[in-house]
């Protein structure tokens, strides 16, 4: 998996991706990351990337030229190492997009290349979006100051689905959202802490009972926190 990111804040992307599990995955060449500063592609003598919107309104819009030239540079670089001629997906992060979820992450993790376009200010001229973007994606119903955090959220989620990125393959099997239910509670030592004991069943050694208890707990937490998911799960079991 090779991520290419178009941004005005490359250090935001680099510092986060170079940390923790994604950092280790980059070091081990399980994923790779190329970050492009859109401003470097501006032909304006002051390296301007934004302008006033036609028709008036608040704020500034990023204009097409630097974004398109940046995209062409990425496309050329990808095509140099890949003769398939397949067009890579270009994901534009925007509160207007389709909502990101685990199923989308799984689907995107099958790609060889993903390009992320991070907008700033009030947005991006629609013509360049219409020309290069294949997927417009939102990470939730709230508005951030730019696309960098959403791109990081997506790359983090996708990276951990790439084989070898998590050292224990099991750990992405049983977790929240993978089977349409939220994960059951987990406990480690000590067996008693601040007067609270670990549930007896977990120390019983009876694996069938443990599995049953975990399923019940998953159903309970899903019903309480995510009634929408719970209903969908119950319907899928009856179908
Ligand atoms: N840019 C600003 N808000 C966003 C959101 N919720 N998702 C994706 N990109 C965004």
């Amino acid at each position: 998996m090779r991520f290419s990111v178009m941004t005005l804040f490359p250090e935001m992307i680099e510092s986060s991706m170079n940390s923790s599990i994604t950092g280790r995955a980059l070091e081990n060449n399980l994923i790779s990351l190329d970050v492009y500063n859109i401003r470097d592609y501006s032909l304006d003598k002051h390296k301007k990337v934004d302008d006033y919107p036609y028709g008036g309104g608040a704020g500034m819009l990023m204009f097409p030229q630097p974004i398109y030239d940046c995209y062409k540079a990425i496309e050329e670089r990808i095509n140099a190492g890949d003769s398939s001629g397949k067009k890579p997906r270009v994901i534009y992060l925007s509160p207007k997009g389709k909502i990101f979820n685990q199923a989308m992450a799984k689907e995107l993790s099958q790609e060889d290349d993903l390009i992320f376009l991070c907008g700033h200010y009030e947005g991006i001229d629609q013509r360049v979006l219409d020309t290069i973007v294949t997927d417009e994606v939102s990470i939730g119903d709230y508005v951030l100051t730019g696309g960098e955090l959403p791109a990081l959220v997506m790359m983090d989620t996708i990276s951990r689905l790439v084989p070898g990125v998590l050292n224990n393959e099991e750990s992405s099997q049983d977790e929240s959202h993978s089977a349409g239910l939220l994960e059951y509670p987990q406990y480690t030592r000590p067996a008693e802490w601040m007067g609270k004991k670990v549930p007896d069943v977990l120390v019983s050694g009876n694996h069938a009972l443990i599995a049953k208890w975990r399923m019940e707990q998953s159903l309970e937490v899903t019903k309480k926190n995510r009634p929408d998911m719970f209903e969908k799960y119950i319907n899928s079991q009856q179908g």
Side-chain angles (χ1 to χ4, degrees):
M1 170 63 71
R2 172 169 47 185
F3 298 119
S4 304
V5 183
M6 297 189 255
T7 173
L8 291 172
F9 298 94
E11 63 290 348
M12 229 175 132
I13 301 292
E14 273 154 4
S15 67
S16 177
M17 284 297 284
N18 284 322
S19 309
S20 187
I21 293 175
T22 48
R24 187 185 67 198
L26 284 166
E27 259 173 38
N28 294 340
N29 295 316
L30 294 164
I31 57 173
S32 73
L33 174 70
D34 295 308
V35 185
Y36 296 79
N37 190 337
I38 295 168
R39 199 175 294 284
D40 292 344
Y41 295 85
S42 174
L43 297 175
D44 177 83
K45 62 178 180 293
H46 303 296
K47 295 280 171 201
K48 233 175 72 133
V49 294
D50 61 324
D51 212 330
Y52 295 99
Y54 277 112
M60 305 284 268
L61 285 181
M62 292 173 74
F63 57 74
Q65 177 273 316
I67 294 171
Y68 187 67
D69 287 1
C70 181
Y71 166 74
K72 289 308 261 184
I74 298 173
E75 197 185 36
E76 229 164 77
R77 188 153 161 191
I78 290 174
N79 287 340
D82 173 6
S83 55
S84 74
K86 199 175 142 217
K87 279 229 177 284
R89 293 188 49 184
V90 179
I91 297 162
Y92 171 49
L93 291 313
S94 141
K96 293 198 287 187
K98 191 172 160 189
I99 300 276
F100 183 56
N101 61 19
Q102 194 66 30
M104 196 194 292
K106 199 162 177 195
E107 188 218 318
L108 292 172
S109 73
Q110 313 295 314
E111 300 282 334
D112 294 329
D113 270 283
L114 291 173
I115 303 176
F116 291 91
L117 170 58
C118 305
H120 254 269
Y121 313 116
E122 286 307 304
I124 299 183
D125 185 289
Q126 189 63 39
R127 292 166 296 180
V128 70
L129 298 178
D130 292 343
T131 309
I132 68 170
V133 171
T134 59
D135 303 80
E136 186 166 355
V137 179
S138 165
I139 61 161
D141 289 341
Y142 40 83
V143 182
L144 294 145
T145 57
E148 284 74 16
L149 288 171
L152 286 165
V153 165
M154 289 187 68
M155 289 190 286
D156 189 285
T157 311
I158 293 164
S159 294
R160 63 194 291 293
L161 298 175
V162 172
V165 167
L166 297 183
N167 44 29
N168 178 4
E169 287 281 274
E170 283 276 277
S171 48
S172 77
Q173 293 297 311
D174 242 14
E175 66 199 6
S176 294
H177 297 283
S178 65
L181 287 176
L182 301 178
E183 199 185 25
Y184 46 80
Q186 303 241 60
Y187 301 86
T188 183
R189 287 192 286 189
E192 187 173 335
W193 177 77
M194 301 240 294
K196 294 172 197 274
K197 284 170 101 176
V198 168
D200 285 339
V201 59
L202 298 181
V203 291
S204 70
N206 184 329
H207 293 287
L209 273 185
I210 292 171
K212 181 169 171 279
W213 181 85
R214 285 179 166 167
M215 188 59 184
E216 287 162 2
Q217 293 288 315
S218 276
L219 288 164
E220 193 179 312
V221 67
T222 309
K223 188 172 183 185
K224 176 166 172 269
N225 291 349
R226 292 292 304 273
D228 57 320
M229 268 177 82
F230 181 75
E231 195 172 323
K232 211 164 151 187
Y233 178 80
I234 295 297
N235 288 336
S236 76
Q237 296 302 298
Q238 285 164 351

